[in-house]
Amino acid sequence: MPQIHEKIHELTVGQLAARSGAAVSALHFYESKGLITSRRTAGNQRRYTRDTLRRVAFVRAAQRVGIPLATIREALAELPEERTPTKEDWARLSEAWRSELDERIRLNRLRDHLTDCIGCGCLSLNTCVLSNPDDIFGDRLTGSRLMVERRNTKHE
């Protein structure tokens, strides 16, 4: 990884890309979405402050866990004077995102079991992870009779 002298306070887009691991095109995209900012030189070249490295790391970490860019942008906009996120900011924001991620994990589990469900055709509800999680009806009934019994109990 290329080292940047500590006296250098601004980075070119190439230096930022090399240090952050993000492609130049990704950095341009992040900037177009308001996730990072740059100033332009007299020659119209982008220059990023060193703390942009942390912002890029923050964005990429949030993306890796599935947070949409719009949500990341909103979170960064809440920081005073568009400062760089701190460890405490990450802890607070990640806690706020936890329920959304938990829901996605639940949906992923359902998706993963969908093939089992389609394969069974609801003929063996004693093993169905969607209609009968943890085989809660296993000691009682199986098959289509269970569906009729469940419909009747909902109306009572």
Side-chain angles (χ1 to χ4, degrees):
M1 178 174 308
Q3 294 298 312
I4 298 170
H5 194 276
E6 63 189 39
K7 291 184 181 181
I8 296 176
H9 297 288
E10 291 186 317
L11 308 173
T12 66
V13 70
Q15 289 170 321
L16 183 60
R19 288 296 306 273
S20 68
V24 169
S25 59
L27 296 172
H28 290 167
F29 181 73
Y30 291 164
E31 190 169 354
S32 74
K33 296 299 180 187
L35 299 165
I36 60 174
T37 58
S38 68
R39 75 167 185 87
R40 297 293 182 132
T41 66
N44 202 30
Q45 295 176 333
R46 291 177 169 93
R47 292 293 184 265
Y48 299 91
T49 59
R50 288 177 71 96
D51 64 342
T52 305
L53 279 167
R54 184 172 292 172
R55 284 181 79 91
V56 171
F58 180 91
V59 169
R60 294 186 78 201
Q63 279 186 294
R64 263 187 237 107
V65 296
I67 304 301
L69 285 178
T71 304
I72 298 167
R73 183 180 55 244
E74 291 168 8
L76 289 171
E78 291 177 14
L79 299 177
E81 300 175 13
E82 296 187 10
R83 71 169 163 73
T84 299
T86 63
K87 181 178 177 181
E88 292 76 22
D89 293 325
W90 178 259
R92 179 178 47 81
L93 293 169
S94 64
E95 183 62 33
W97 296 334
R98 185 174 303 278
S99 63
E100 181 182 340
L101 293 174
D102 287 344
E103 180 62 18
R104 287 184 190 181
I105 290 168
R106 188 184 72 73
L107 290 173
N108 283 339
R109 272 195 226 121
L110 287 174
R111 180 208 57 214
D112 293 345
H113 292 296
L114 190 57
T115 303
D116 295 338
C117 184
I118 291 169
C120 123
C122 291
L123 298 176
S124 59
L125 285 175
N126 61 326
T127 60
C128 182
V129 295
L130 298 176
S131 298
N132 186 17
D134 301 319
D135 195 20
I136 56 176
F137 297 112
D139 294 332
R140 295 172 53 209
L141 298 171
T142 61
S144 60
R145 294 172 298 170
L146 181 58
M147 294 300 289
V148 172
E149 179 181 282
R150 284 179 57 197
R151 276 193 209 114
N152 290 338
T153 58
K154 285 183 182 179
H155 297 293
E156 294 177 9

